Amino acid sequence: MKKHPQPQLGTNGDVIGQRVLAYLIDSVLIGLLWVVVMIVGSALGDAGFLVLTLAGTVITLVYVFLLEGLYGYTPGKYLLGIVVVKSDGSDCTIGASIIRNLLWVVDALPTANIVAMVLILVTDENQRVGDMVADTIVVKRR
């Protein structure tokens, strides 16, 4: 996996379907992690459950915040050939990744991602709230 691959600027309107699929892939991967945490943690008793829950939380935070900040993509985005960059084409930063992902609360809740989808479809740069605040876009990678 290459750190911060070259973006193809101007393709943000072409990747809406890939964004949705990447979100679903990443959600399934994180969900599978939590299924394992719950099953194994339950078998280990209260202390084991607590330790695995903390480990699962750390892994989830690394997955969500750090991968985009360090690499420009999550596994779902990587598989679908898209990358998160700053709107000027520079690399996404850890700070921008944290902001854009924390704002999923606005984009996703309580509307089941309807706010995110509507904004991606109607904004000039195809950005959801998290992207607008973090000044990021999602584009194809070269």
Side-chain angles (χ1 to χ4, degrees):
M1 288 178 37
K2 182 179 178 189
K3 282 183 118 175
H4 298 289
Q6 288 292 95
Q8 289 183 9
L9 296 181
T11 60
N12 34 326
D14 301 334
V15 298
I16 295 169
Q18 288 101 315
R19 287 182 77 167
V20 171
L21 289 174
Y23 175 78
L24 293 173
I25 290 167
D26 291 331
S27 295
V28 167
L29 291 174
I30 290 171
L32 289 173
L33 164 74
W34 282 101
V35 166
V36 171
V37 165
M38 295 297 138
I39 291 170
V40 175
S42 295
L44 296 176
D46 291 342
F49 185 80
L50 178 62
V51 168
L52 284 179
T53 299
L54 291 172
T57 301
V58 169
I59 292 168
T60 300
L61 293 175
V62 166
Y63 188 105
V64 173
F65 295 147
L66 293 182
L67 287 179
E68 284 179 0
L70 294 173
Y71 290 92
Y73 48 78
T74 58
K77 286 180 183 72
Y78 179 79
L79 289 171
L80 294 167
I82 57 178
V83 62
V84 178
V85 295
K86 300 293 281 179
S87 63
D88 64 3
S90 62
D91 294 342
C92 183
T93 63
I94 292 172
S97 177
I98 290 170
I99 290 168
R100 78 183 297 274
N101 285 296
L102 282 177
L103 285 168
W104 264 115
V105 172
V106 175
D107 287 314
L109 299 175
T111 62
N113 296 320
I114 293 172
V115 170
M117 287 309 305
V118 168
L119 288 173
I120 288 169
L121 292 171
V122 302
T123 57
D124 290 340
E125 296 294 325
N126 306 101
Q127 296 169 295
R128 59 181 181 80
V129 172
D131 290 316
M132 288 186 270
V133 174
D135 191 32
T136 56
I137 56 174
V138 180
V139 296
K140 291 180 183 179
R141 72 171 193 261
R142 294 183 195 256

